[in-house]
Amino acid sequence: MQPLILSAFTLINCLGRGLDATLAALREQRSGLRHCDFPDAELDTYIGRVEGIENEPISGRLSDYDCRNNRLARIGLEQDGFARAVENARRRYGPDRIAVILGTSTSGILETESAYRRRDPETGALPPDFRYRQTQNTFSVGDFTRRYLGLRGPASVVSTACSSSAKVFAGAARMIEAGLCDAAVVGGVDSLCFTTLYGFTALELVSSTACRPADADRNGISIGEAAGFALLEKPACGDGDIALLGYGESTDAYHMSSPHPDGLGAGEAMHKALQRAGVDPRAIDYVNLHGTATKANDAAEDKAVSAIFSAAVPCSSIKGWTGHTLGAAGIVNVIVSCLSIGESFVPRSLNTERIDPEMASWIVTQELRRPVRTVLSNAFGFGGNNASLVLGKRS
């Protein structure tokens, strides 16, 4: 495929606002996870909560879109000069030629949860100030983002659980190749809510400690929230040192929530990404794992990764730093991969103390300082939705 330049990108998560905050935490070996202090959620687990969202409502012309998910999106768009970069692109291409393709899993469902708590006690009616279309609807964050950035190109929101904001890169690449747009704002937003906190607890998938990907004693995920965005452009038009080189997608067709135990779908996605990028597995300098810290997911991904890379390529998961940000997990991995390439380091799997002896991959437990030119980044979701991306330095 024709590489696409990431001419601007940004990230907000529990490590802080903007690229510098995330990079500083990674270099200082500082996790953003904390014992659950989400209001009204009395759970013995750790979460990755972004500070201050509750006090930063959306006001003005887009006030109807005010909800935790869109607040997170708005704060993210204002980091690292991202909105300004899109404004410049809008001048070059025109607002009709820039697409917005985002991923989310639960969107603003917290707003609906709140509305149900305030139902009329006699009629059961939802409160009149509840705005489903602008808040909980899956397209809400896409609609908000395009309006906030003043864009009028094609727009869509992908919701394939935890692969959502990785699959958007594939969708954008196809859309640009087809000539439907000249550039695309891609990314994902997912915010904390009771549905995920209590839902994953009911599935017995959350850990009572900060999560430990690939650890022999791992016992589940830590749920987090994040927003991340990237501006994709053709090489002839975009400035930037990092490019999307390839993407691969697959479905397990195996189980509603469990991955294929041999990681067949995951392996297929990685193979397709490498093939589309024209990159040999030996040229990959780092594999940024999906690495949720559940027994089944880590084991399946390890089988897929080790079958392609053996133990020759360093691998790590970012979940011990940020938590599992669900629909935003793909873009979080992409941005961390960009930091790895730009700063020449491989972050370690935080909290991983005793690697599961069943793991065959090279799990990095101490930061590596080395040149990183090409990264394979994974995001795998419920239902066996798999997406892998190859990112690398612009050649």
Side-chain angles (χ1 to χ4, degrees):
M1 62 169 276
Q2 173 185 246
L4 294 172
I5 303 301
L6 282 72
S7 54
F9 50 88
T10 185
L11 178 66
I12 174 174
N13 60 79
C14 64
L15 297 175
R17 302 183 179 201
L19 301 177
D20 288 346
T22 293
L23 180 61
L26 293 174
R27 305 314 301 272
E28 295 165 6
Q29 312 297 302
R30 172 169 46 81
S31 174
L33 300 180
R34 67 177 83 186
H35 194 265
C36 182
D37 60 354
F38 194 68
D40 298 325
E42 297 180 0
L43 295 169
D44 183 21
T45 186
Y46 276 64
I47 61 173
R49 182 170 68 81
V50 175
E51 293 274 7
I53 299 177
E54 299 82 1
N55 304 317
E56 299 180 48
I58 296 170
S59 58
R61 64 184 177 90
L62 295 177
S63 59
D64 282 352
Y65 290 80
D66 185 40
C67 65
R68 188 177 185 88
N69 214 51
N70 289 336
R71 291 183 188 186
L72 191 54
R74 193 273 311 275
I75 297 169
L77 290 168
E78 288 304 319
Q79 307 304 312
D80 301 302
F82 187 80
R84 189 167 57 252
V86 174
E87 183 180 348
N88 292 335
R90 194 179 65 208
R91 291 197 188 99
R92 293 200 303 275
Y93 301 115
D96 297 330
R97 295 296 299 170
I98 302 177
V100 173
I101 309 175
L102 303 180
T104 189
S105 66
T106 56
S107 188
I109 198 171
L110 180 65
E111 205 66 20
T112 302
E113 294 167 349
S114 172
Y116 266 79
R117 290 182 171 191
R118 297 186 291 118
R119 281 183 302 172
D120 187 295
E122 294 185 1
T123 66
L126 293 168
D129 62 352
F130 174 55
R131 304 172 306 281
Y132 172 85
R133 180 176 177 274
Q134 289 91 349
T135 56
Q136 199 224 293
N137 184 290
T138 302
F139 186 61
S140 167
V141 69
D143 196 20
F144 170 78
T145 299
R146 69 199 297 255
R147 290 173 186 268
Y148 190 83
L149 296 173
L151 302 176
R152 298 197 298 267
S156 64
V157 172
V158 175
S159 189
T160 55
C162 309
S163 63
S164 302
S165 58
K167 290 176 73 69
V168 299
F169 283 82
R174 287 189 286 265
M175 201 167 282
I176 292 173
E177 183 180 12
L180 297 175
C181 59
D182 295 317
V185 172
V186 297
V189 187
D190 230 291
S191 49
L192 292 171
C193 62
F194 297 108
T195 298
T196 51
L197 288 170
Y198 281 93
F200 280 98
T201 298
L203 290 171
E204 300 181 342
L205 289 176
V206 299
S207 175
S208 59
T209 66
C211 69
R212 294 167 287 176
D215 192 281
D217 298 319
R218 67 189 184 279
N219 60 358
I221 68 175
S222 301
I223 299 175
E225 59 187 350
F229 301 94
L231 177 61
L232 287 180
E233 299 183 71
K234 296 176 183 176
C237 306
D239 293 326
D241 298 325
I242 299 173
L244 172 70
L245 303 178
Y247 61 85
E249 301 169 283
S250 70
T251 53
D252 283 0
Y254 173 75
H255 191 271
M256 286 292 288
S257 58
S258 298
H260 190 285
D262 292 326
L264 297 185
E268 184 179 354
M270 287 186 273
H271 276 298
K272 287 181 175 177
L274 292 167
Q275 185 178 41
R276 188 167 272 116
V279 170
D280 187 276
R282 290 171 295 185
I284 296 294
D285 298 311
Y286 168 42
V287 176
N288 196 345
L289 300 168
H290 186 55
T292 62
T294 65
K295 292 285 186 185
N297 280 315
D298 285 4
E301 186 174 15
D302 175 71
K303 288 183 179 179
V305 169
S306 61
I308 298 172
F309 300 100
S310 65
V313 178
C315 309
S316 67
S317 166
I318 199 68
K319 304 294 191 291
W321 307 83
T322 65
H324 190 351
T325 56
L326 306 178
I331 186 67
V332 170
N333 266 23
V334 165
I335 303 302
V336 170
S337 298
C338 292
L339 294 175
S340 171
I341 294 170
E343 300 295 326
S344 301
F345 78 110
V346 174
R348 67 178 175 126
S349 276
L350 195 64
N351 307 325
T352 304
E353 297 178 353
R354 188 169 66 91
I355 297 173
D356 186 338
E358 297 293 322
M359 297 282 175
S361 305
W362 176 6
I363 305 297
V364 175
T365 56
Q366 295 295 326
E367 179 185 299
L368 300 178
R369 294 291 299 174
R370 55 166 58 186
V372 178
R373 289 191 57 85
T374 313
V375 176
L376 185 136
S377 180
N378 286 337
F380 306 138
F382 267 1
N385 278 292
N386 309 300
S388 296
L389 305 173
V390 176
L391 301 142
K393 285 192 173 180
R394 183 177 191 166
S395 57

